[in-house]
Amino acid sequence: MADRTDVKISVIVPVYNVEKELPRCIESLLTQTHSNFELLLINDGSSDGSPEIMERYAEKDPRICTLHKKNGGVSSARNRGLEQAKGEYVCFVDADDAVASCYLEWLCRAIQESRLPLAICKQVDFEEKETDPFCDLPTEMPALKTHKIENYTFWDENVCTRCVRGMMRADLVRDIRYDEQIAIGEDALFMVQALLRTKGYVCVPCALYAYYIRPDSAIHQSDFSPKQYSEITTWEKICALVERQPGSMSRTAEERFVVACAHVYYRMAGSDHADPELQAKIVRMAREHWRAALRVPSSKKREKSKLWMLICCPAAGRWMWKLGKKLKQG
């Protein structure tokens, strides 16, 4: 890509072994109604045909810049993209997902019209057999919804803890980087750091981002892997960041922290990586925050029941988890 100085938006896409889905993602970005952007494709040490696909597209479109690096994880790839980005605005897209043709235009307009530095949209979850996740989109951008920082809750469906369905002014995150030691929730930690620099954010209340459900994704795996403990670490760090924030932000961060304890504990139960000492530590942490467990919304029945089983009778909870897993498999 030629050295441009007039780039409006930098789109950062980490790429790792997604040769099947990558063309769909790139095509969705190249057909945007807003054309003044650079597309930074960051190859994170792929071992499949993804790098070749990147280069083929780059040969056809000067807006595409390809970068290749050793495998270091999605946070490392996004950080590399931030270092290279030239745009006034920055957004992130995952290589196995797709965006609506108005994605960049509407998010950019939302920032400009609201005068807030951060905009998000809703997302639609879809599987490979579904061909058009955006068939119900309105023809015109709907009325924007603004959210003030003092009313922020981590349970809101419009909460901005996923970096991939938003856009932000580049100067907002110029010196913020993803924590490369965290495997789950790294984008939530990044977004909270950005959000704390603002008075609020704006939401485009329709699904402009299509999230592709991959069964091999770490977040959807039923078996436990040691890196999944980082979900707890993420919420510990977020709680520390928002500890003195007024309103609901600090309170709901603690609630999400105890729910993360339950998630990790039961995924670990019965796995090859079960660690009695670590399990005991998780139980202690959950019990120390029992008041937060009381506040978990009643709408989150499954999370709440697992959490209280963890606090009151973890052994019975482990047995029930193992039984449920056997029934599901058999």
Side-chain angles (χ1 to χ4, degrees):
M1 184 184 73
D3 187 17
R4 294 172 56 192
T5 59
D6 63 338
V7 177
K8 191 73 173 179
I9 302 169
S10 295
V11 185
I12 298 171
V13 181
V15 177
Y16 179 71
N17 289 352
V18 284
E19 62 181 1
K20 182 179 178 181
E21 300 87 7
L22 183 57
R24 177 186 57 205
C25 175
I26 295 176
E27 292 286 352
S28 75
L29 287 163
L30 296 183
T31 55
Q32 290 293 299
T33 55
H34 180 103
S35 60
N36 184 8
F37 66 89
E38 62 174 356
L39 176 53
L40 303 175
L41 299 175
I42 318 295
N43 171 34
D44 189 40
S46 296
S47 57
D48 66 355
S50 296
E52 290 76 15
I53 294 172
M54 290 167 48
E55 295 301 336
R56 283 203 302 270
Y57 275 98
E59 289 175 2
K60 299 176 182 178
D61 197 309
R63 294 174 297 180
I64 298 177
C65 175
T66 60
L67 300 169
H68 301 271
K69 58 183 288 297
K70 293 182 180 179
N71 179 251
V74 66
S75 291
S76 173
R78 287 174 180 156
N79 286 340
R80 179 69 179 275
L82 284 170
E83 292 168 2
Q84 298 291 323
K86 300 183 180 74
E88 181 181 350
Y89 302 97
V90 173
C91 67
F92 302 91
V93 175
D94 282 346
D96 53 357
D97 294 336
V99 296
S101 60
C102 56
Y103 180 74
L104 298 181
E105 178 189 349
W106 287 8
L107 286 176
C108 188
R109 280 178 55 191
I111 291 176
Q112 292 171 341
E113 292 179 15
S114 69
R115 297 189 178 181
L116 290 169
L118 176 60
I120 66 167
C121 66
K122 293 185 177 182
Q123 74 175 41
V124 57
D125 297 347
F126 75 109
E127 298 178 359
E128 186 176 6
K129 61 183 179 181
E130 299 173 284
T131 57
D132 187 7
F134 306 116
C135 59
D136 295 327
L137 272 184
T139 55
E140 299 292 335
M141 186 173 76
L144 301 174
K145 296 183 179 180
T146 57
H147 300 265
K148 295 181 179 179
I149 189 73
E150 58 262 32
N151 299 327
Y152 191 89
T153 167
F154 286 102
W155 294 113
D156 191 329
E157 66 171 359
N158 293 321
V159 66
C160 48
T161 54
R162 293 204 67 215
C163 66
V164 294
R165 57 186 180 99
M167 181 183 293
M168 61 210 75
R169 283 207 324 256
D171 57 3
L172 181 69
V173 294
R174 190 67 68 189
D175 59 344
I176 301 178
R177 291 295 181 266
Y178 289 87
D179 189 330
E180 298 182 17
Q181 304 305 311
I182 292 179
I184 295 178
E186 75 291 331
D187 51 347
L189 181 59
F190 177 88
M191 293 298 286
V192 168
Q193 291 180 78
L195 188 65
L196 290 175
R197 296 181 172 185
T198 74
K199 295 180 179 179
Y201 62 100
V202 60
C203 178
V204 181
C206 56
L208 305 177
Y209 191 96
Y211 173 67
Y212 175 56
I213 301 172
R214 295 177 68 187
D216 59 342
S217 171
I219 198 93
H220 293 111
Q221 289 174 0
S222 58
D223 293 329
F224 179 83
S225 64
K227 70 179 183 180
Q228 289 175 342
Y229 183 82
S230 64
E231 182 181 356
I232 293 178
T233 304
T234 293
W235 286 102
E236 280 183 313
K237 289 178 177 283
I238 290 175
C239 285
L241 282 172
V242 305
E243 184 178 9
R244 297 184 180 180
Q245 288 297 312
S248 56
M249 179 177 272
S250 176
R251 184 178 70 252
T252 56
E254 186 186 14
E255 294 162 13
R256 290 293 299 268
F257 166 73
V258 289
V259 168
C261 289
H263 283 170
V264 174
Y265 184 88
Y266 289 115
R267 283 182 180 273
M268 187 188 300
S271 76
D272 294 336
H273 300 282
D275 182 336
E277 185 175 336
L278 185 54
Q279 287 177 309
K281 177 184 176 181
I282 294 173
V283 172
R284 288 196 302 272
M285 289 191 295
R287 286 173 174 170
E288 288 171 2
H289 296 269
W290 65 270
R291 290 182 179 84
L294 281 174
R295 299 194 308 264
V296 172
S298 56
S299 59
K300 307 294 180 182
K301 294 179 181 178
R302 189 168 183 267
E303 288 87 347
K304 198 157 188 169
S305 61
K306 287 169 62 178
L307 181 53
W308 279 106
M309 186 66 74
L310 171 63
I311 291 173
C312 299
C313 192
R318 290 199 304 274
W319 179 83
M320 291 177 65
W321 174 266
K322 293 176 186 177
L323 178 62
K325 191 175 180 180
K326 288 180 179 179
L327 292 173
K328 187 176 181 180
Q329 293 174 343

